[in-house]
Amino acid sequence: TGAFELRNGPLFIPGSGAANADTLRAMTVGLFFDYLGIRLNALRAEGKHIVLHWTFTDSRETYCLNLENSALTYRPERWSPTADASLTLARTTLDAINMAANPQQALMDAIQSGAIQVTGDPQKIYELFALFDTFSTKFNLIEP
């Protein structure tokens, strides 16, 4: 790959990257939340505190996702009495949202269609998803 880059420029395969559909399906929910933590833009998240309960209907798993101090953490099977919102959805719905060209719009569409059931403040969910970065898979390996 390094020799190819020196001769032709950075290698870019459309649709390639760490978060393709097969990779997302293979991740556990905990690993998926870790992935979201990597995508979190810490500067934009500064000073924000969001707590969300997640219930996945297909895997029967529950999680508490917490954004605090510009870090995204989660705890399986834990609930917080101060949660901003609770989401009930299938894991496949979450995968589809994150594979969409515009995840924020896909999230809103899923909530409006009933694919995601929300109790509490849905604005907190939108606020969290607005804090994620999307990374380019086209970058130099050899030359800056």
Side-chain angles (χ1 to χ4, degrees):
T1 303
F4 179 90
E5 179 184 307
L6 290 171
R7 291 184 189 111
N8 304 303
L11 178 64
F12 178 68
I13 302 168
S16 71
N20 63 39
D22 291 333
T23 302
L24 285 174
R25 278 192 298 270
M27 288 182 185
T28 63
V29 174
L31 188 58
F32 181 79
F33 285 148
D34 287 337
Y35 167 70
L36 291 182
I38 292 167
R39 291 183 47 212
L40 181 70
N41 184 315
L43 293 176
R44 287 198 321 248
E46 191 172 330
K48 296 189 184 300
H49 184 235
I50 300 172
V51 178
L52 301 176
H53 292 159
W54 296 76
T55 301
F56 294 95
T57 56
D58 45 359
S59 63
R60 291 188 165 85
E61 295 176 278
T62 58
Y63 290 84
C64 183
L65 191 67
N66 183 53
L67 171 66
E68 191 172 14
N69 298 323
S70 295
L72 193 64
T73 59
Y74 66 92
R75 303 228 18 204
E77 300 180 14
R78 296 290 173 113
W79 291 94
S80 169
T82 60
D84 298 300
S86 295
L87 299 86
T88 303
L89 68 157
R91 167 64 193 270
T92 53
T93 302
L94 185 61
D95 292 344
I97 289 167
N98 282 287
M99 290 303 301
N102 184 344
Q104 289 174 302
Q105 185 61 48
L107 175 70
M108 285 190 249
D109 293 344
I111 290 172
Q112 290 173 354
S113 73
I116 298 176
Q117 319 222 308
V118 176
T119 56
D121 185 1
Q123 287 304 108
K124 290 293 189 174
I125 303 165
Y126 302 137
E127 185 179 347
L128 177 66
F129 271 74
L131 300 174
F132 297 130
D133 283 330
T134 302
F135 303 110
S136 171
T137 58
K138 184 175 182 174
F139 56 88
N140 293 329
L141 294 176
I142 305 296
E143 302 271 328

